[in-house]
Amino acid sequence: MRQELQSLPKGLAEDVAKNLVMVAKLIDEDPEQAYGYSRVALRLASRVAAVREAAGFAAYATQKYSEALADFRAARRMTGSVELWPVMADCERGLGRPERALAMAGEAEVQKLDKAGQVEMRLVAAGARRDMDQIDAAIVTLQSPELASNSVQPWTARLRYAYADALLAAGREGEAREWFAKALEADKDGSTDASDRLAELDGVDFVDAMDLDYEEQGSEGAATDAGSDRDADGDASDDVDGDGPDADPRDAS
């Protein structure tokens, strides 16, 4: 990316770089703001492939799939690389064209992808099958040497999770539970919610500790108020007998 920006005048390159840094920092926690920075970079340097790619991912993160696809296509034309092929296919899914995503999964570009890219393409193709209500075909699509392998790779947790989710959609709950457990085993950085899905299958309900604290505080407050009311009522009832400090001395006589 730095090398690509060197084609720009120094001041402009620095401005573009600052916006790209903000895109990278914000895209997970605040995708809308990241998208805003990406549009600034795009206005400044739309003919730089790295800028088009960053803009594409920011648009993709905010579900602006038409913009994302246009930026990814532009970046691909500039670089000749096929690495964006899976995410381009997923944009087709986002635009409601799963059949186009499936067609892309069968094109020659897939064979040029590295292993991670091929696994990603398999995930996209399985998602397209599910979009078309072809659950059994989605399960078959995910069955692969990568799924069967015991070695843990960066894609392993997501691949196992997708397989488990497809099995569950097909009503194969026992197998789904097994594969959610395998996904959790491989998910070292918490990229999936496999643990929650397992708990759901096991009928475990999680309660937010913050909610419990709030409820307990509310109960204590209610008890305190009730106690205060009882004290007030007790004082009043004591005075009814005329024995209290405010009783009329003439009643005593």
Side-chain angles (χ1 to χ4, degrees):
M1 187 177 290
R2 184 190 298 273
Q3 186 175 356
E4 288 186 40
L5 292 178
Q6 286 177 353
S7 64
L8 302 173
K10 185 177 180 182
L12 179 59
E14 289 179 354
D15 288 342
V16 173
K18 289 175 182 177
N19 281 281
L20 293 181
V21 167
M22 293 308 296
V23 172
K25 289 181 68 173
L26 294 169
I27 196 164
D28 290 328
E29 61 187 57
D30 191 345
E32 286 291 347
Q33 194 171 359
Y35 173 78
Y37 281 107
S38 76
R39 293 298 110 176
V40 174
L42 196 58
R43 287 196 298 270
L44 294 173
S46 62
R47 296 188 179 184
V48 175
V51 172
R52 296 306 291 262
E53 183 175 333
F57 277 110
Y60 179 81
T62 53
Q63 301 183 2
K64 297 176 176 67
Y65 298 116
S66 183
E67 287 184 29
L69 187 56
D71 287 325
F72 289 143
R73 284 173 174 166
R76 182 169 179 265
R77 283 195 301 270
M78 293 173 185
T79 63
S81 172
V82 298
E83 67 179 12
L84 293 172
W85 196 254
V87 72
M88 288 168 62
D90 208 36
C91 285
E92 295 285 4
R93 285 185 60 210
L95 291 168
R97 301 192 293 247
E99 67 286 347
R100 177 57 189 148
L102 279 177
M104 292 178 68
E107 294 185 24
E109 282 81 355
V110 177
Q111 302 307 315
K112 300 175 185 177
L113 294 167
D114 61 12
K115 182 62 69 176
Q118 289 180 4
V119 170
E120 196 66 35
M121 192 71 241
R122 191 177 291 277
L123 288 167
V124 172
R129 291 290 187 189
R130 292 192 62 173
D131 293 342
M132 300 166 71
D133 295 323
Q134 299 175 4
I135 302 299
D136 290 338
I139 291 172
V140 172
T141 299
L142 292 167
Q143 292 170 346
S144 62
E146 293 80 19
L147 180 67
S149 175
N150 290 324
S151 69
V152 176
Q153 303 295 334
W155 60 77
T156 302
R158 291 177 57 241
L159 183 58
R160 292 177 180 179
Y161 182 94
Y163 188 59
D165 196 45
L167 289 169
L168 189 60
R172 295 159 63 175
E173 188 172 307
E175 293 173 83
R177 193 198 181 287
E178 176 187 348
W179 280 96
F180 277 129
K182 289 182 178 181
L184 179 60
E185 192 177 281
D187 193 1
K188 305 303 182 185
D189 57 357
S191 61
T192 74
D193 64 347
S195 60
D196 292 341
R197 301 298 296 276
L198 270 174
E200 185 179 316
L201 285 172
D202 291 340
V204 177
D205 291 328
F206 290 104
V207 179
D208 193 319
M210 295 290 289
D211 292 340
L212 278 178
D213 289 343
Y214 180 79
E215 289 176 6
E216 288 175 0
Q217 289 171 6
S219 299
E220 290 173 2
T224 302
D225 291 343
S228 299
D229 291 341
R230 282 195 299 272
D231 290 343
D233 292 343
D235 291 344
S237 62
D238 289 345
D239 292 345
V240 167
D241 294 333
D243 297 330
D246 295 330
D248 192 330
R250 288 173 299 180
D251 293 338
S253 62

